Amino acid sequence: MKLEPLRCPAAGRDAENEKMLCFYFNRRVTDDEMRYLHAVMRQAAAYSPIIDGQPGKQTT
C-alpha cells in the first residue's frame, strides 16, 4: 500500500500538560515515521534557543 506523503499542517499545546506539544498530521503516522520524528525532536530540543537565561541542554 502506497502512503500519501506525510505533512504536518498544525501543532499546538496540550491544555492539561504544559510540557506536552501536539502535532497534527494529514494521515496516520507509521511506527517508523514516529521513531524518526522522535529522533528529530530530540535533536531539535538539544539545540533549542536560550530560555530564561539558560541554553538548551543535550538530552540524548
Side-chain angles (χ1 to χ4, degrees), residues 22-35:
C22 297
F23 292 90
Y24 300 88
F25 296 94
N26 61 313
R27 62 166 171 77
R28 183 182 182 278
V29 176
T30 67
D31 290 346
D32 285 341
E33 289 169 328
M34 192 175 335
R35 284 187 284 276

Side-chain angles (χ1 to χ4, degrees), residues 8-46:
C8 182
R13 297 182 185 277
D14 184 278
E16 296 179 18
N17 184 342
E18 66 184 22
K19 296 179 182 180
M20 187 167 163
L21 295 177
C22 297
F23 292 90
Y24 300 88
F25 296 94
N26 61 313
R27 62 166 171 77
R28 183 182 182 278
V29 176
T30 67
D31 290 346
D32 285 341
E33 289 169 328
M34 192 175 335
R35 284 187 284 276
Y36 172 77
L37 292 168
H38 179 221
V40 168
M41 289 306 299
R42 286 179 64 146
Q43 285 293 88

Side-chain angles (χ1 to χ4, degrees), residues 38-49 54-60:
H38 179 221
V40 168
M41 289 306 299
R42 286 179 64 146
Q43 285 293 88
Y47 296 101
S48 65
Q54 299 296 319
K57 295 181 174 68
Q58 183 92 16
T59 58
T60 58

